[in-house]
Amino acid sequence: MDVFEAMGIAGFGKTSKQRQLDPNRFEKNKRGDTIASSSAAVKHVEEASARPTEEQESDPGEIGPAPPPSGDKDSNNEEEPEFDASDDEFDQQQFPVTHELLLKDHMKVVTALTMDPSGARVLSGSHDYDCKLWDFGGMDWRCKPFKTWEPAGSYYVHDVKFSNDGQQFLVISGTTQAKLYDRDGEELGSYVKGDPYIRDMKNTAGHVAELTSCAWHPKDPQTFITSSLDSTIRIWDVENRRKQKTVIVVKSKERGARTKVNSCGYSPDGGLIGGACMDGALHMWQTKSNFVRPSMSIEGAHAKGTETGSLTFSIDGRTVLTRGGDDTVKLWDVRSFKKPLVSRTGLATLYPQTNAIFSPDNKYVVTGAGASAKGGRGHLLFMRRDTLETVKDLEVDSTPVRVYWHSKINQVITGLSNGQICVLYSPDMSLNGAKLLLNKGPPRKATVEDMSDAVAAPTIITPHALPMFRDSEVGRSTKRKREKERMDPRKSHRPELPVTGPGRGGRVGASATQHVVQNLVRDTTRDEDPREALLKLAATADENPVWTAAWRANQPKPVFAPVEGEGEDEKKE
């Protein structure tokens, strides 16, 4: 017994009222297949436990132990479902997929998906041209994003990546320029595009074709890479947006020596850069090399002409996982980079951005398989890393395209082809994330007192109390709000910023020819002082007048009278 309770002291100070949460609040988000498998397992266990009691009750007069069952094969067959049921329970405990939360706001397929390192925010991009930011801590039961914007007008969003510190992220769309945003979705800047008229890709300052993917350096937060259809991978410095640091030109063995780079990635130690190409080749470059030719290369890693959706390194950096557009998933060993360690075929790929990832413990591989028919259900496959055999096949509403497994909160998010984002979690294994919405409890319902107060004291608004009639001097309470709205380009109605850099009239010369012509016919009148320019011509005009030469003979000489007042004042002094 507590000493304070014996003395009659319950506590110190005023106790705050704690809201009681429903212990069954997670049950409404439980997946249907999980409920069916668990109920089948319970039913089987009840039947198995009921059978021996029936046999004992049927022969009450028999003395001694019960005889063994008649057939060993029958008994084995009866025990098999029990073993399967335990397997299902083991799988459910292994993967956080027992419950799901659907984020419905995109109109088309979600092709880009990631989370910040803390697991608090979800960033998504889609073929409806929008990027959306979701915050688990700030969302209510409606599950709506707190920011939506179009990063590149009417261009698809191909890839999004948070930096390692979570303070900024990259957006890769169908344009030639990567864009950098801060954590709240405010644009920090865009990186330069290259000159499309220059044939040698090493001499251009940026990409000249559509971007496909990006990756941050795992150690250096100021460095990232981008891949493009212009047959290059470019290494950028975050602060320098006018030109890339290094260009990796990918050369193909086909005629033309160019190919399209579909995906790129860094190894965990930052020592290797990988690239997968449209011609089926897979290349690796050492970051300490001069990038003239790849350090390791495999021709025909995937089928020629197919788009490889992702290239992912394992935690130890020795294994590379690729998801090909030829319906395959392949594992490669960097130490013997000749043929795949293991390959899995027959995984329907309906979208080129379909990716494959490692689980946080590096024991499993997760990827999506497309629906067999239009409007059918897709499959999210959990496979063993060693053999790529399916451990768990999870049905989802439509084809899963992008998959991301966050190691900190232990939740799996996947973007579907119908525009939904499915967040899979387990109340026991997962931490925060989707659980935060249900931990808040339901919203407070309006009571009779609230309604009566609204009726009893209606709001009276005088004309000059409206914001449109208010003076410019606003109270100090709204100062912070006005500053925040001023930073938002949409609320402040900020116009499009002019083109920065060298040029004239807000235009920058796109080609080398324009640059040469502008320097040849350069107008320097704005650089001169007009007074000095006129005084240069004064002596020439007096010696050889062009327009007033006829007046030199009859023009009278000016005679000015001396000012007497000034002379007298000087003498007095």
Side-chain angles (χ1 to χ4, degrees):
M1 187 176 183
D2 194 2
V3 178
F4 289 102
E5 290 182 3
M7 296 173 64
I9 302 173
F12 297 97
K14 186 178 180 182
T15 58
S16 59
K17 188 178 180 182
Q18 297 289 335
R19 183 167 55 177
Q20 297 294 329
L21 294 174
D22 184 11
N24 297 324
R25 60 188 181 278
F26 295 112
E27 293 301 318
K28 62 181 180 180
N29 286 344
K30 198 165 186 179
R31 288 181 55 83
D33 53 355
T34 307
I35 297 172
S37 61
S38 59
S39 61
V42 170
K43 184 177 179 182
H44 177 78
V45 170
E46 288 177 354
E47 290 177 357
S49 60
R51 279 171 194 157
T53 55
E54 290 174 1
E55 290 176 359
Q56 290 173 7
E57 290 174 0
S58 61
D59 300 327
E62 192 172 359
I63 301 171
S70 58
D72 294 337
K73 294 181 181 180
D74 296 339
S75 64
N76 291 336
N77 292 336
E78 289 175 0
E79 290 175 0
E80 280 179 2
E82 187 175 353
F83 180 77
D84 293 342
S86 64
D87 270 357
D88 290 341
E89 291 174 3
F90 178 71
D91 291 342
Q92 290 163 19
Q93 292 173 1
Q94 209 167 14
F95 306 114
V97 295
T98 55
H99 296 65
E100 68 177 353
L101 177 71
L102 294 178
L103 307 179
K104 304 177 182 179
D105 208 64
H106 281 293
M107 304 301 293
K108 293 185 179 180
V109 53
V110 179
T111 53
L113 191 64
T114 188
M115 294 184 76
D116 69 333
S118 64
R121 291 187 175 180
V122 176
L123 173 62
S124 61
S126 170
H127 276 192
D128 59 5
Y129 320 130
D130 284 346
C131 270
K132 297 181 188 291
L133 269 171
W134 318 71
D135 190 357
F136 285 123
M139 275 195 298
D140 56 4
W141 56 275
R142 293 172 295 179
C143 300
K144 292 296 180 183
F146 71 89
K147 188 173 181 67
T148 301
W149 76 100
E150 287 185 0
S154 57
Y155 286 92
Y156 293 159
V157 181
H158 290 162
D159 199 6
V160 289
K161 287 286 192 324
F162 263 104
S163 62
N164 295 331
D165 57 359
Q167 297 303 314
Q168 50 195 7
F169 60 84
L170 283 168
V171 175
I172 301 297
S173 56
T175 61
T176 59
Q177 294 176 282
K179 289 195 174 183
L180 185 69
Y181 294 84
D182 67 359
R183 179 179 171 80
D184 297 322
E186 299 294 335
E187 185 175 343
L188 299 177
S190 59
Y191 292 83
V192 72
K193 62 180 178 180
D195 188 347
Y197 296 102
I198 297 179
R199 176 68 181 171
D200 189 359
M201 289 292 103
K202 284 189 175 181
N203 296 328
T204 59
H207 287 290
V208 298
E210 181 180 345
L211 297 175
T212 54
S213 68
C214 66
W216 287 89
H217 195 287
K219 305 292 184 184
D220 184 8
Q222 297 296 315
T223 305
F224 66 90
I225 58 174
T226 54
S227 63
S228 170
L229 301 184
D230 61 2
S231 189
T232 63
I233 297 175
R234 297 178 190 261
I235 305 173
W236 299 83
D237 186 2
V238 171
E239 301 300 330
N240 185 11
R241 297 173 192 149
R242 301 298 305 166
K243 191 175 182 180
Q244 75 276 335
K245 288 169 65 177
T246 315
V247 183
I248 304 174
V249 180
V250 184
K251 295 179 180 178
S252 175
K253 290 192 174 182
E254 296 181 4
R255 187 177 180 184
R258 280 197 183 184
T259 183
K260 297 176 181 179
V261 186
N262 295 316
S263 58
C264 61
Y266 267 111
S267 62
D269 59 351
L272 280 177
I273 293 177
C277 306
M278 181 75 87
D279 61 353
L282 183 62
H283 303 289
M284 298 286 166
W285 292 267
Q286 295 279 351
T287 52
K288 295 180 181 179
S289 65
N290 56 2
F291 301 112
V292 174
R293 58 178 58 86
S295 305
M296 295 174 283
S297 182
I298 295 179
E299 298 294 333
H302 286 280
K304 179 182 171 183
T306 60
E307 300 182 41
T308 304
S310 69
L311 182 148
T312 311
F313 284 85
S314 61
I315 297 173
D316 56 7
R318 298 175 180 174
T319 312
V320 179
L321 174 68
T322 56
R323 177 70 163 92
D326 53 356
D327 300 345
T328 61
V329 171
K330 293 184 180 181
L331 273 170
W332 310 84
D333 192 347
V334 177
R335 295 166 294 182
S336 60
F337 207 59
K338 294 180 179 179
K339 60 180 182 179
L341 292 173
V342 62
S343 178
R344 171 73 183 268
T345 58
L347 304 174
T349 308
L350 303 183
Y351 296 91
Q353 289 84 12
T354 305
N355 71 331
I357 58 169
F358 286 106
S359 62
D361 59 0
N362 232 30
K363 294 180 180 178
Y364 299 95
V365 171
V366 187
T367 188
S372 56
K374 187 176 180 181
R377 295 173 67 85
H379 298 269
L380 192 65
L381 303 176
F382 293 80
M383 301 177 289
R384 297 188 191 279
R385 174 185 167 178
D386 301 332
T387 59
L388 291 183
E389 294 177 355
T390 304
V391 178
K392 189 169 185 63
D393 186 350
L394 203 70
E395 275 199 356
V396 287
D397 291 340
S398 59
T399 302
V401 181
R402 281 281 176 176
V403 187
Y404 188 89
W405 192 335
H406 200 285
S407 58
K408 192 170 184 180
I409 62 175
N410 197 22
Q411 296 181 16
V412 182
I413 59 171
T414 176
L416 307 180
S417 60
N418 59 1
Q420 297 179 1
I421 299 173
C422 181
V423 184
L424 299 167
Y425 66 98
S426 169
D428 302 324
M429 301 168 60
S430 301
L431 179 70
N432 294 335
K435 292 172 63 178
L436 291 176
L437 276 70
L438 297 171
N439 287 342
K440 292 180 181 179
R444 191 174 68 90
K445 295 180 181 179
T447 59
V448 179
E449 287 78 7
D450 297 335
M451 300 301 293
S452 60
D453 290 344
V455 174
T459 307
I460 300 173
I461 301 175
T462 58
H464 291 281
L466 296 172
M468 59 187 297
F469 295 108
R470 227 176 263 167
D471 295 333
S472 58
E473 295 295 328
V474 190
R476 292 179 64 186
S477 61
T478 59
K479 182 180 178 182
R480 186 172 295 177
K481 183 180 178 182
R482 283 188 291 111
E483 289 178 353
K484 192 173 181 181
E485 288 180 352
R486 184 68 179 164
M487 294 297 291
D488 189 356
R490 186 171 290 182
K491 289 186 178 179
S492 62
H493 301 286
R494 186 178 71 179
E496 289 286 335
L497 295 176
V499 180
T500 58
R504 186 178 177 190
R507 300 190 179 204
V508 182
S511 66
T513 310
Q514 288 182 1
H515 179 68
V516 172
V517 172
Q518 284 175 1
N519 288 336
L520 286 175
V521 206
R522 189 176 180 187
D523 190 3
T524 59
T525 54
R526 296 186 63 178
D527 301 335
E528 297 182 16
D529 187 7
R531 185 171 177 274
E532 291 181 1
L534 290 173
L535 289 176
K536 283 180 186 177
L537 304 174
T540 310
D542 291 340
E543 293 174 2
N544 186 20
V546 179
W547 309 108
T548 60
W551 297 345
R552 298 182 80 174
N554 57 1
Q555 188 71 14
K557 294 182 179 180
V559 179
F560 300 104
V563 181
E564 297 178 357
E566 294 179 0
E568 292 176 0
D569 294 339
E570 290 175 359
K571 289 177 182 179
K572 289 179 183 179
E573 291 176 358

